[in-house]
Amino acid sequence: MLGVIDLPTYLAGLVLIVLLPGPNSLYVLSVAARKGVRTGYKAAAGVWCGDTVLMTLSAAGVASLLQANELLFGIVKYAGAGYLSWLAIGMLRAAWAMWRARREPAVQSAQTEPVAGERPFRRAVVISLFNPKAILFFVAFFVQFVDPGYAYPALSFVVLGAFAQLASFLYLTALIFSGTRLAAAFRRRKRLSAGATTAAGALFLGFAVKLTLASA
């Protein structure tokens, strides 16, 4: 169909990959829990924009360039790992602030959260561009389902990308509305909020290590 090879296999793999926890989904869930549905969708829009950039680069052959050039791949890899580590440190610092303010009234503790000036869309774009799961998907998996003999390969990439974005939209929407339900519990239970933020920071550190160990 339109130069796409084995669409059922692609869709099955797509669902599994989308459902795997990653920094994109974790960040969207965190933003929705802290700031609500509207801001959660701003973060989700950043994810979709970043994924679109990765799809375009893959279709343009940049994925093959990264695989062939170890130096370039290393620069991208360590830059991404550094950014994810920076986010993780910020989350751990926020968790410590929440823990110290756990006995204070809810209004005061809410002011300790370092969300002022946060730009969810821009941050989500950067997280998406350096997301190990997304890089693996678009570099190693995405291109395998395009027929090299098809006359209009760009159309094939559009079809595959549309399915990927639809799956991402449905999944992130579910996370956004789940996050708003968690928000009330986090506001009531300061220790739970601090623990969840600590876990998120630890996961982001894990993503950074995973990206560092990735090979072209």
Side-chain angles (χ1 to χ4, degrees):
M1 182 186 74
L2 300 176
V4 175
I5 302 172
D6 200 359
L7 182 60
T9 301
Y10 170 76
L11 294 177
L14 174 63
V15 170
L16 293 176
I17 291 173
V18 167
L19 292 178
L20 285 174
N24 287 356
S25 55
L26 184 62
Y27 181 68
V28 171
L29 178 62
S30 171
V31 169
R34 290 185 284 110
K35 293 191 171 184
V37 172
R38 183 175 180 179
T39 309
Y41 270 111
K42 288 182 180 179
V47 171
W48 299 325
C49 183
D51 285 349
T52 299
V53 172
L54 289 177
M55 292 179 204
T56 304
L57 293 176
S58 179
V62 176
S64 299
L65 177 61
L66 286 176
Q67 288 179 311
N69 191 319
E70 292 185 6
L71 176 60
L72 182 59
F73 182 81
I75 292 173
V76 173
K77 178 174 68 172
Y78 288 112
Y83 183 74
L84 292 176
S85 298
W86 178 74
L87 290 178
I89 292 171
M91 290 180 178
L92 293 175
R93 291 178 61 187
W96 175 244
M98 293 175 193
W99 177 257
R100 293 182 60 184
R102 64 188 183 280
R103 300 183 185 279
E104 297 177 7
V107 173
Q108 294 180 6
S109 64
Q111 295 174 349
T112 65
E113 297 184 13
V115 296
E118 183 179 4
R119 298 177 181 177
F121 176 83
R122 188 175 68 178
R123 179 166 290 187
V125 169
V126 178
I127 292 174
S128 179
L129 291 176
F130 291 114
N131 177 12
K133 186 179 75 170
I135 293 173
L136 176 64
F137 175 71
F138 293 114
V139 170
F141 182 79
F142 190 66
V143 296
Q144 295 182 20
F145 295 90
V146 176
D147 184 357
Y150 186 64
Y152 306 100
L155 183 58
S156 305
F157 279 103
V158 169
V159 172
L160 294 174
F163 279 116
Q165 294 289 45
L166 176 60
S168 178
F169 173 80
L170 295 175
Y171 179 55
L172 293 182
T173 293
L175 290 182
I176 287 169
F177 284 96
S178 298
T180 55
R181 292 184 179 181
L182 291 174
F186 287 162
R187 292 191 186 99
R188 291 194 304 269
R189 303 176 182 178
K190 313 281 181 56
R191 294 181 180 180
L192 175 62
S193 180
T197 305
T198 300
L203 283 174
F204 266 71
L205 280 178
F207 295 138
V209 172
K210 182 179 179 181
L211 182 56
T212 302
L213 298 176
S215 57

